[in-house]
Amino acid sequence: MDTVANPQEAVRDNFRAMMRQYPATVTIITSHMNGVDHGMTATAVTSVSMDPPSLLVCLNNRTYLHEMLQHQPHFAVNVLAKGQVELSDAFSGKVSPEKRFEAGHWVKHASGLMTLHGAHARVICKRTVAVPYGTHTLFIGQVTDAFVSDQTCPLLYENAKYCSAHPTV
Ligand SMILES: Cc1cc2nc3c(=O)[nH]c(=O)nc-3n(C[C@H](O)[C@H](O)[C@H](O)COP(=O)(O)O)c2cc1C
């Protein structure tokens, strides 16, 4: 007798395969609480609105950054440049949280948040909304400062590989 696959499991597998091949821009999100700076690699970042200027970040509720943003509202999104793969690796678990800022040129912004000089872009946000959903929370931050370089191009992640985009013409 044929075994009928669990349809929910099949949807989950197909969705995972789809997301694996969904190109995304690599960022390091930083925050600060009780005298401690922390940062983690994240690709689930997107703009929400121009009025007010705002960004959405989706954080797994098991991460320390998630805990920080539950308790205080300030965070910075550092969009990595294509040469910054090592920083992405460091901030996604290869390096312990206390040692992550040892590599790269990190500078304290006037907001008190760590920002990466040499990043493709930097955005300073104040969380205004937090919506728990499944394993993650969607944090929307109102943008209070933003910078982008016209000298660099962003680091992308697709199919478990780092890459960068090229114009089609
Ligand atoms: C390319 C890449 C993208 C990631 N994107 C996210 C993300 O958008 N949200 C998230 O919660 N974790 C994401 N992660 C996983 C976190 O970076 C990882 O769990 C990190 O170790 C969490 O920080 P912590 O160890 O300080 O808690 C991503 C990891 C990689 C390698």
Side-chain angles (χ1 to χ4, degrees):
M1 199 176 104
D2 285 344
T3 52
V4 180
N6 177 339
Q8 272 190 347
E9 224 168 80
V11 168
R12 209 173 288 142
D13 289 349
N14 292 346
F15 180 58
R16 189 176 293 114
M18 189 285 287
M19 286 308 296
R20 196 179 154 89
Q21 298 193 48
Y22 187 89
T25 306
V26 183
T27 77
I28 294 175
I29 304 177
T30 59
S31 194
H32 181 89
M33 188 169 76
N34 301 332
V36 175
D37 289 301
H38 184 65
M40 67 168 247
T41 302
T43 50
V45 174
T46 191
S47 64
V48 177
S49 135
M50 269 303 156
D51 190 16
S54 40
L55 264 190
L56 165 72
V57 304
C58 304
L59 303 181
N60 190 299
N61 56 29
R62 287 177 308 190
T63 63
Y64 185 46
L65 195 73
H66 182 278
E67 160 104 18
M68 278 187 161
L69 286 190
Q70 296 278 13
H71 292 101
Q72 67 76 49
H74 304 284
F75 63 97
V77 177
N78 299 271
V79 178
L80 296 187
K82 75 171 182 188
Q84 296 177 318
V85 169
E86 274 180 33
L87 287 174
S88 176
D89 284 342
F91 280 78
S92 57
K94 263 199 182 157
V95 172
S96 64
E98 316 79 59
K99 294 190 172 163
R100 286 181 190 171
F101 292 101
E102 287 176 9
H105 184 191
W106 292 95
V107 175
K108 280 244 169 188
H109 181 264
S111 59
L113 295 163
M114 288 295 235
T115 54
L116 179 64
H117 277 229
H120 177 66
R122 302 185 287 272
V123 189
I124 307 297
C125 298
K126 184 174 179 193
R127 184 253 298 135
T128 52
V129 175
V131 182
Y133 194 90
T135 52
H136 284 57
T137 296
L138 288 61
F139 294 99
I140 295 177
Q142 194 160 325
V143 176
T144 58
D145 197 6
F147 162 87
V148 65
S149 166
D150 53 14
Q151 308 293 312
T152 54
C153 64
L155 179 66
L156 306 182
Y157 194 70
E158 186 195 350
N159 210 5
K161 287 192 176 69
Y162 291 99
C163 50
S164 63
H166 298 285
T168 52
V169 284

